[in-house]
Amino acid sequence: MAQVIGSSIKRREDPALITGRARYTDDLQMPNMTYAVIVRSPYAHARIKSIDTSQAEALDGVVAVFTGKDVAESSAPGVVPVGWILDGLKQPAHPILAVDTVRYVGDGVAIVVAEDRYVARDAADLVEVDYEPLEAIIDPVKATEKEVPLVHANEADNIAFEWEIGDKAKTDQAFANAAHTVSFDLRNNRLIPHAIEPRAALADYDPISGHLTLHMTTQNPHIHRLLMSLASLGLPEHKIRVIAPEVGGGFGSKIHHYPDEAITAWTSMQVGRPVKWTATRSEANVTDAHGRDHVTKAELALDANGKILGLRVNTYANMGAYLSTFAPAIPTYLYGTLMSGEYDIPAIYCHVFGVFTHTTPVDAYRGAGRPEATFVIERLMSLAAEATGLDPAEIRRRNFVASDAFPYQTQVALAYDSGNYEGTLDKALEILGYQDLRAEQERRRNEGDRLLGIGFSSYIEACGLAPSALVGSLGAGAGQWESAEVRVHPTGAVTAYSGSSAHGQGHKTTFAQIVADKLGLDIENVEIVQGDTDEVQFGWGTYGSRSAAVGGSALSVSLDKVIEKGRKIAAHLLEAATEDVVFEDGKYFVRGAPERSQGWGDIALQAHLAHNYPADLEPGLEARSFYDPSNFVFPFGTHIAVVEVDPDTGEVSLLRYVAVDDVGNVINPMIVDGQLHGGIAQGVGQALWEGAVYDESGQLVNGTLMDYAIPKAHKLVFFELDRTVTPCPHNPLGVKGVGEAGTIASPAAVVNAVIDALKPYGIKHLDMPLTPEKVWRAINSNGNGRS
Ligand code: MCN
């Protein structure tokens, strides 16, 4: 039988998606349903003097209006918790509706419920909030200074936490001994996630049974059930059912526990009717947790041969007005620990301030800390190439962790599982035709043609977060194992329940491939169920590119269990010893005698009939596993961007993009390529076009798609992808994650390419996004411009 794992089976999800049959939260209708609109602060910082809801309440069709005071006076805890605690972390209260102070534009102050969404919208405009505007602080560096507005008045300052990793003294010593040092200051631009489907919730509280059913746009239904129960609603966990219907992308933004879904659920409990809330696009842009937003100084010390001696990084991470669910982990354990990149670096020190400002909270966005770390190290490597006169490919090669050095313990906590960094670099150079391209670059420079730039990013990422005991010791309020239950039906067909929760990644295809491959089944006989806390055993959900490595492994372990049980039944039927029975291509037979066999379906039927059956075995064929890996997985690769810069306009065009990735064994090559395509596009977006811009008063000035530029297909190129395969040594499938790889690698590749193109102008660094205006000004500010 053909191997199913490793085949580019078409996504089983797509027919429903592309024919419009898929049902998203906002498509759902319930009898007696009402619609909610959340009234939001137009100020970044203000005191709420009073709220008058009387006009809104008087509007025909309005069911109820609630404010933060109503929540505070109810029996519900009514807060949004923090899910990752660092030493010394400030944890100011975060109510699900603001009570006396608003802290960012978009902070919710009231909720209006009406018979239809248009009445709710009109009534929201009738809620009169009397604000006393206060001075806002937006810049994360300024926010740490003295005499600045405090985001949380009862805290001493705006520093949410201070965190460090590595050895400062040893790193300082490395710099003292260096033949070359390079440094740069950077702003890693703030990004808005822009999942195609905005966040939405449909809460249905039944006052008789006390049960709440909450359909919502979530990447992790069980986490949301837990936090709704503990922190927001105070309902017993077993009386809450969270369901993720079709979810139209998340990119991290649907991990977090937001006030909005909680207040929707709380409101349904008050009115005793179903309540639906769906964010508008502009609302999503000010309330979905943003990503990145670091201000960093980074320095690299090297010896005379271009070998790295030390790396020093100081970062101010903008956390926004409140700590979002996993926000404290992003600029710390998902950032500082990645600083060694693919390199053997003997001394590293990374220091981080997490800072409150009057802006939208910042949390995980595709890559989450790892793109920021990769940007630091990969820009430094290109600056170091320049300083040492080495080719950017050569300086990387000189510093790679050798392929025989795994497992490799870095100076910043992580132990890389397996790798072959030269392998991906060599392959990428070959695909690119590197030497010819450099010659072409030289020719263009000499002939005054449009500028050509070649940019490298040899990245590593840590994903498939684990093990639970370790992340717990680092402050996680979550486990990082994953669950899978396999139910074999009497015909041998299988329904598998996974604690992962896909929202675009194609688990219904890839997880079914794992089942079909292991059991020798046609994939049509496999169904994957996710995203419903009443149907699926507890699981931690989908983020951190963990589902294949952790959720897929849990599934594999459960499959091994049902295969093992089947072996006992087969041994009984074949009148052989269990250890002599083998299972291959969906059949059990005595080793060496395949002509007498029991098929998977025969065994499944016998397990249910239990007529001719081993005496000491229970009937039925089901297994459940909770898989807790022994380590993260560490995918890696080399991405190379080739750009053209028009010196007259500053316009950057992407000419080629070569990506050679290694994600271990591959379950579905087409899905893996698709994940890379999406990720690369998002990373190119960060490098060239995207960035949330706040004015001094805290208004998000580009909060609509008219002025926030997300990548468009015609601005991109056909990505040239290839891979090497270095299996993960510690999970049963040998897989590593791929969901974020493209986003992690690509910003540095593109920026390195643009700076390479601008070399004749002596430009060392420009902050993302590299808009035509920024590039044009840089060219002209050095007096070299042609205009
Ligand atoms: N896969 C595979 N072989 C591998 C690794 C993965 O075939 N060696 C397959 C998996 O089985 C899965 C897909 O590739 O179908 C992605 O797997 P994985 O890397 O495990 O990532 P997750 O499924 O955990 O998805 C999370 C990841 C993250 S963190 C973000 S952010 C992201 C991403 O996935 N958001 C996405 N991809 C996205 N894709 C879509 N369409 N929408 C999003 O919001």
Side-chain angles (χ1 to χ4, degrees), residues 129-168:
V129 188
D130 188 6
Y131 292 104
E132 178 193 341
L134 302 168
E135 202 190 333
I137 183 91
I138 306 305
D139 182 276
V141 180
K142 281 197 196 132
T144 61
E145 292 168 3
K146 294 203 165 34
E147 313 290 319
V148 292
L150 288 177
V151 179
H152 298 278
N154 46 4
E155 302 287 358
D157 54 41
N158 290 320
I159 299 171
F161 61 85
E162 189 178 353
W163 181 89
E164 60 178 2
I165 195 165
D167 188 330
K168 183 168 189 310

Side-chain angles (χ1 to χ4, degrees), residues 1-9 12 486 492 494 496 508-528 552 555-556 559-560 562-563 583-587 600 665-669 732-733 735:
M1 184 175 166
Q3 260 215 319
V4 192
I5 288 183
S7 310
S8 287
I9 291 174
R12 306 166 92 201
V486 171
V494 169
K508 283 196 164 135
T509 308
T510 51
F511 281 28
Q513 286 181 256
I514 297 172
V515 178
D517 192 277
K518 289 205 75 145
L519 299 183
L521 282 177
D522 188 312
I523 199 163
E524 292 312 315
N525 285 324
V526 184
E527 195 64 37
I528 303 295
L555 184 57
S556 175
L559 290 164
D560 286 341
V562 291
I563 290 171
F583 181 64
E584 269 176 34
D585 290 343
K587 289 194 183 83
W600 176 252
N665 292 335
V666 169
I667 301 166
N668 185 319
L733 297 169
V735 296

Side-chain angles (χ1 to χ4, degrees), residues 324-367:
S324 175
T325 316
F326 292 116
I330 311 304
T332 53
Y333 290 109
L334 290 177
Y335 172 68
T337 57
L338 245 270
M339 282 300 167
S340 204
E342 292 194 341
Y343 310 109
D344 181 24
I345 305 183
I348 301 176
Y349 178 66
C350 174
H351 177 259
V352 179
F353 282 115
V355 186
F356 290 120
T357 61
H358 291 106
T359 60
T360 297
V362 178
D363 203 328
Y365 168 60
R366 200 170 196 174

Side-chain angles (χ1 to χ4, degrees), residues 446-618:
N446 294 336
E447 293 174 11
D449 207 343
R450 284 183 182 208
L451 302 157
L452 194 74
I454 307 169
F456 288 79
S457 177
S458 290
Y459 77 99
I460 182 161
E461 66 154 315
C463 57
L465 307 194
S468 299
L470 173 73
V471 297
S473 73
L474 303 179
Q480 286 298 292
W481 46 264
E482 197 46 271
S483 68
E485 175 170 319
V486 171
R487 290 192 202 161
V488 183
H489 306 297
T491 54
V494 169
T495 306
Y497 299 79
S498 163
S500 301
S501 194
H503 44 282
Q505 293 85 354
H507 296 175
K508 283 196 164 135
T509 308
T510 51
F511 281 28
Q513 286 181 256
I514 297 172
V515 178
D517 192 277
K518 289 205 75 145
L519 299 183
L521 282 177
D522 188 312
I523 199 163
E524 292 312 315
N525 285 324
V526 184
E527 195 64 37
I528 303 295
V529 178
Q530 299 184 329
D532 183 337
T533 57
D534 268 15
E535 280 199 71
V536 180
Q537 67 291 337
F538 197 97
W540 292 103
T542 287
Y543 44 84
S545 303
R546 65 191 302 271
S547 302
V550 193
S553 293
L555 184 57
S556 175
V557 174
S558 289
L559 290 164
D560 286 341
K561 289 181 185 169
V562 291
I563 290 171
E564 235 4 78
K565 184 166 180 185
R567 194 190 309 279
K568 290 182 184 148
I569 303 168
H572 177 83
L573 295 174
L574 293 165
E575 295 175 344
T578 309
E579 52 277 18
D580 293 338
V581 173
V582 289
F583 181 64
E584 269 176 34
D585 290 343
K587 289 194 183 83
Y588 291 96
F589 53 88
V590 179
R591 196 185 318 278
E595 58 289 348
R596 246 186 84 235
S597 65
Q598 290 284 335
W600 176 252
D602 304 325
I603 296 299
L605 186 63
Q606 203 46 243
H608 286 81
L609 296 176
H611 291 170
N612 181 8
Y613 206 67
D616 55 350
L617 208 62
E618 280 180 14

